[in-house]
Amino acid sequence: MNIFKKVDNIISFVFLVVAVIYGYLALQMPYFGRGIIGAAFYPKILAIVMIALCLIFFGINRHPDPEAKTVSLKGIQPQNVIKQVAVVAVIAAYACALFYFGFKIPTFTFFLALMLLYGEKKWSKLIFVPLVTTILFDVVFRIIFKLPFHELSIF
């Protein structure tokens, strides 16, 4: 097993741990009894897909590939890896924040963090896009699909 397969296995293991924690939090979300699709439906499906992909990558790395003798290191740059890990961390933080703070505040900060992470500089876009996206998601899921969301109650 070469060094790249070992690194792939370590990354797959870390993502598997994140997926299991995400799945656990998704299972803790309340069910409101309005059919199969509820507030926790998408997070549960996402957790299953994430776990399945991690296990598939473990399986792929177990089989030797005779053509993978040489690997170009030009595509592996620290800033690329850091950005990918940061995106996974932001998604995990968003999933956790949904459970504790409701829908609107974490969704706004999730899109704001992603835009900052990908280098958006204009403050008008940094405020407008997350705000419109949060309102649009709220209208679609709460009003059209009538899915009740847990919201943060201050008082």
Side-chain angles (χ1 to χ4, degrees):
M1 182 180 286
N2 63 21
I3 186 70
F4 295 107
K5 290 202 178 215
K6 288 180 183 177
V7 171
D8 285 344
N9 283 339
I10 291 171
I11 291 171
S12 293
F13 179 75
V14 169
F15 286 146
L16 182 64
V17 169
V18 169
V20 168
I21 292 170
Y22 182 80
Y24 175 76
L25 289 174
L27 289 173
Q28 302 301 317
M29 293 180 82
Y31 175 73
F32 297 102
R34 292 190 179 185
I36 297 172
I37 299 177
F41 179 75
Y42 176 73
K44 288 176 186 175
I45 296 298
L46 184 61
I48 291 169
V49 169
M50 288 169 45
I51 291 170
L53 285 175
C54 288
L55 294 176
I56 288 169
F57 287 134
F58 274 131
I60 289 172
N61 284 334
R62 293 188 59 109
H63 299 294
D65 187 10
E67 295 179 9
K69 299 279 185 197
T70 61
V71 176
S72 173
L73 295 177
K74 292 180 182 177
I76 302 174
Q77 300 295 326
Q79 65 268 18
N80 294 343
V81 174
I82 290 171
K83 189 178 284 188
Q84 293 166 355
V85 170
V87 167
V88 172
V90 167
I91 291 171
Y94 175 64
C96 186
L98 279 174
F99 186 71
Y100 293 108
F101 297 109
F103 177 74
K104 293 175 187 164
I105 296 169
T107 302
F108 179 83
T109 54
F110 171 71
F111 284 109
L112 180 65
L114 284 182
M115 290 179 69
L116 286 171
L117 188 62
Y118 280 99
E120 181 59 48
K121 301 278 191 241
K122 292 184 178 179
W123 281 101
S124 59
K125 283 186 180 179
L126 285 172
I127 299 300
F128 183 73
V129 172
L131 184 64
V132 169
T133 307
T134 303
I135 292 170
L136 180 70
F137 283 177
D138 191 47
V139 167
V140 167
F141 291 116
R142 188 186 309 263
I143 297 172
I144 296 174
F145 292 141
K146 296 185 181 3
L147 295 175
F149 288 122
H150 167 71
E151 289 299 328
L152 177 66
S153 58
I154 298 173
F155 302 104

